[in-house]
Structures are given as structure tokens and as C-alpha cells.
Amino acid sequence: MAAKLRAKIAGTGSYLPEKVLTNFDLEGMVETSDEWIITRTGIRERRIAATESCTDMAAKAAERALKSAGVTASEIELVVVGTVTPEMSFPSTACFVQSRLEIKTGVPAFDLSAACSGFLYALDVAEKYVAAGVAKKALVIGVDRFSQLIDWSDRSTCVLFGDGAGAVVLSATRGKSGVMASNIHSDGRKWDMLYAPGEAAKTPFVEQGDQRSSDEEHRSQYLSMSGNETFKVAVRTMVASIKEALKDAGIGAEEIKLLIPHQANQRIIKATRERLKLPEERVYMNLDKYGNTSAGSIPIALDEASREGRLKRGDIVVFVAFGGGLTWSSAAVRW
Ligand code: ACO
């Protein structure tokens, strides 16, 4: 009997915008300090897509992933993009990437909305197409331009986020490498812990008397977050999600070579790591350079870890994310 079909991560790529916004720059914008931001979050600077669109970042990350996989765009049979800041309401950013990279006509391309869990949701879906034999090669992208969702006068949120994109190429294999287990979860009842109405907050059909002040209208579009509550739920759900992935993969936490968590806050990551009794060197962090890039965070970190030589063939790497929705997700992969 032939071995089980698996989705192997054949290549990785990422793109970070050129503009750097440091904590010191933020000191000039809101009442905050470099020291407060570093102590509470671990973030030193972030990138801002001042000239890049969502598609620009996604396409560049995807091109780099294809190059690292040694796969041509013409071989791609599925494109899935996790994003909550798409290029337009429609078409999907995935369709824009298909066109920009000249991926074959007829290949399915679509976006998924799961905020910071967007990349892992996209990976979970694409993995199932590949493992079922429906697509031999798939492009999975996580991208967000969160700077457009932030109220830059709100110090409680503007210090946390940045923009960026990451991508992987999945390839069907009957070898041992590939996704071993993956889970995705959501709880829509807790939507108001973390949300951003964006353009949906606007309507041309407002009765004269109901018109909100322009200041209220302005603020209501932007990201809103219950920071402390988010912190606690993030740790609880991420630990549970990792344990589920490990159980489904039939391995123990001690076998994790590298945990790549969503890069939200170093204190959330530390609390998660301690509950799993993982040593510090087995957990990847680059949030000091980029902040929380939402759906971009895990594939950017994976790309950097891979290029730094942190992963060897056969190593177990575990991803975990948490985001608005609420959503949470984890995947265990043999490199
Ligand atoms: N600079 C200086 N002071 C600040 C700032 C700032 N940027 N922001 C808040 N403060 C003040 C507060 O006003 C408060 O002052 P007070 O005591 O006088 O009222 C004080 O600092 C402490 O505020 P807390 O909110 O209690 O600070 P905390 O230690 O909880 O850290 C933080 C806040 C960093 C937001 C933390 O709660 C956190 O990281 N939460 C999780 C956020 C997260 O990960 N979100 C992304 C989820 S993923 C997604 O899908 C988008």
C-alpha cells in the first residue's frame, strides 16, 4: 500500500516594507516610551507599508517562496491567502496574486479571514486539498497591512502592530516530511474582545438626525481591543491548541525542535512556553523587529528561522496562533 499523501513545506518567503517605525518615533506621536513598549511587549520597531499595497507584499513573499521551493508559478494548483486587510473588498487578494505571478487560469484562488490566525487557517485548508490529492502544489500566504486599521492616536493599540507578508509552497509527497496534524478553532461569541470595523463602519444611508460626529465615525472604524482579557485567553487557547496538535501527531512537547508562535507579545509567548515546559531556545521570536504583523507573523518568522538554519530535515516544528474572531489554531510539521 502506498504511503499516506502529505503536504510538505517545500519553500518559504517573506516581505517586510521598507519604512521602519521605531518606539522612539512613536514617542513623538503618542504619550508612550521606548521603555514601556519594550517591557510590556518586547517590541522595538515595526515596518509600515507606506508605499506597498497588500498585493505588493503578498506577491513578493510568494515569489520568494516559489524561488526557495524551486517551483514555478505555472505548477501552482491552489492559492489561499489569510488576510483581514485585503487589497479590495473584492476581488480577493489571492486573485490579484494569481494575476501578478501569472499562475494558471482556472486555478482556485481565495482569501480567508481569521485575523492573526489567518495564515494557519489558510495552511489548514490548503493542507487538506494537498493531502486529498486535489492540488499537487499550493501557495499559502499570510499578509496584513494592519497600519490601515490602527488609530494612530490610541497608544494602547498603535504600539503593537506592523505590516508584512509571509508565504509557503506546499507540495504533495509520500515521504515523512509535511504537516502531521493541524487544528483550527473559533468562538464568535467573544468577537468584541478584538475587532476592527474598517470600511464596514461607513454607510451613505444615515438619517440626518442619526448622523454621528465625524470624530466618533473616525474612531469607530479602527481596531478595538480588551488588552488584558486578550492576553489571558491567548495563552489559554494557544496552549490547548498546541496540546491538541501534539496529541493528533502522536508526539510529546519534548520533541518540539522549534515552536513558532504568533508574534503578538513576548510575555504571551513566555507564558505559553512555560506552560509547555519548553526551553527558551526552542521558541522563535522576531517581534522586536516587526511587532505583531497579524497573518504575516508566523510565515515571516518561519522564513527567517529557515534561512537562519534553525530547521533541519526531520525536525518537528509547531506553529500556534491566536486572533480576532476569536480564532486560534496550531499545526505540527515534520521539516
Ligand atoms: N505607553 C504607555 N503607557 C501605556 C501604553 C503605552 N503605549 N498603553 C497603555 N498604557 C498604560 C495604561 O493606560 C495603563 O495606565 P493606568 O495604570 O494609569 O491605567 C497602564 O499602561 C497599564 O496598562 P495595561 O493595559 O494594564 O498594560 P498591560 O501590561 O496589560 O499591557 C498590552 C498592555 C501590551 C496591550 C497587553 O495587555 C497585551 O499584550 N495584550 C494582548 C494584546 C494582543 O496580543 N493583541 C493582539 C491579538 S492578535 C489579533 O488578532 C490582532
Side-chain angles (χ1 to χ4, degrees):
M1 206 175 70
K4 190 174 171 268
L5 207 52
R6 280 186 197 283
K8 175 187 167 172
I9 297 182
T12 63
S14 60
Y15 179 80
L16 277 313
E18 276 172 29
K19 183 179 168 55
V20 177
L21 187 73
T22 66
N23 291 350
F24 297 106
D25 295 328
L26 283 165
E27 284 181 359
M29 294 164 64
V30 289
E31 206 182 318
T32 191
S33 66
D34 174 56
E35 201 236 323
W36 190 96
I37 304 171
I38 291 177
T39 322
R40 303 288 177 127
T41 71
I43 301 164
R44 289 174 188 276
E45 57 186 44
R46 68 287 293 139
R47 301 298 181 93
I48 302 294
T51 55
E52 300 91 340
S53 75
C54 183
T55 301
D56 293 338
M57 295 193 287
K60 286 203 171 100
E63 271 170 354
R64 289 170 183 172
L66 286 168
K67 192 164 178 232
S68 105
V71 167
T72 61
S74 61
E75 294 174 76
I76 295 297
E77 295 178 344
L78 172 71
V79 185
V80 190
V81 176
T83 187
V84 287
T85 52
E87 183 80 22
M88 295 185 185
S89 290
F90 71 88
S92 66
T93 302
C95 281
F96 281 117
V97 169
Q98 178 180 33
S99 154
R100 183 86 62 96
L101 268 52
E102 296 183 7
I103 289 166
K104 276 191 296 213
T105 300
V107 163
F110 56 90
D111 292 358
L112 283 178
S113 167
C116 299
S117 310
F119 173 75
L120 290 191
Y121 262 62
L123 183 74
D124 183 84
V125 169
E127 183 269 328
K128 287 178 173 57
Y129 275 78
V130 173
V134 179
K136 283 188 282 300
K137 289 191 170 37
L139 192 52
V140 184
I141 303 170
V143 57
D144 267 312
R145 193 170 180 264
F146 246 52
S147 57
Q148 72 194 50
L149 295 179
I150 302 297
D151 177 352
W152 287 98
S153 63
D154 175 10
R155 70 173 183 176
S156 68
T157 54
C158 77
V159 302
L160 303 173
F161 299 95
D163 301 331
V168 301
V169 172
L170 292 184
S171 179
T173 171
R174 294 201 186 272
K176 286 205 166 126
S177 296
V179 179
M180 303 165 78
S182 166
N183 60 72
I184 56 174
H185 299 284
S186 42
D187 181 1
R189 285 170 201 83
K190 296 201 179 73
W191 70 270
D192 58 354
M193 269 174 58
L194 192 54
Y195 63 94
E199 292 295 307
K202 289 185 187 163
T203 172
F205 295 99
V206 179
E207 296 292 331
Q208 204 73 49
D210 293 346
Q211 199 112 33
R212 287 173 296 173
S213 74
S214 60
D215 187 44
E216 249 179 81
E217 173 110 14
H218 167 81
R219 285 180 190 283
S220 69
Q221 289 175 45
Y222 294 109
L223 180 136
S224 170
M225 181 180 75
S226 313
N228 286 319
E229 214 184 325
T230 304
F231 193 112
K232 284 180 231 152
V233 179
V235 175
R236 199 172 64 235
T237 53
M238 289 206 293
V239 169
S241 200
I242 293 170
K243 285 186 174 167
E244 183 184 342
L246 292 175
K247 186 165 175 266
D248 293 346
I251 52 177
E254 67 288 351
E255 289 176 74
I256 299 175
K257 189 67 194 292
L258 197 62
L259 174 68
I260 302 188
H262 171 48
Q263 306 286 308
N265 182 321
Q266 74 175 11
R267 286 157 57 217
I268 294 179
I269 294 175
K270 182 169 180 273
T272 305
R273 172 175 74 71
E274 284 172 354
R275 279 164 181 71
L276 291 162
K277 301 191 170 55
L278 280 178
E280 211 174 334
E281 64 275 12
R282 295 214 187 162
V283 181
Y284 195 81
M285 273 207 287
N286 62 3
L287 57 79
D288 56 321
K289 295 184 288 182
Y290 309 131
N292 178 349
T293 53
S294 184
S297 135
I298 289 177
I300 292 169
L302 172 64
D303 185 43
E304 291 203 344
S306 159
R307 286 171 203 272
E308 285 164 14
R310 295 282 300 269
L311 292 164
K312 304 271 176 296
R313 201 177 156 79
D315 282 353
I316 304 287
V317 54
V318 171
F319 309 125
V320 68
F322 169 87
L326 296 178
T327 56
W328 61 99
S329 174
S330 179
V333 173
R334 192 185 303 278
W335 200 246

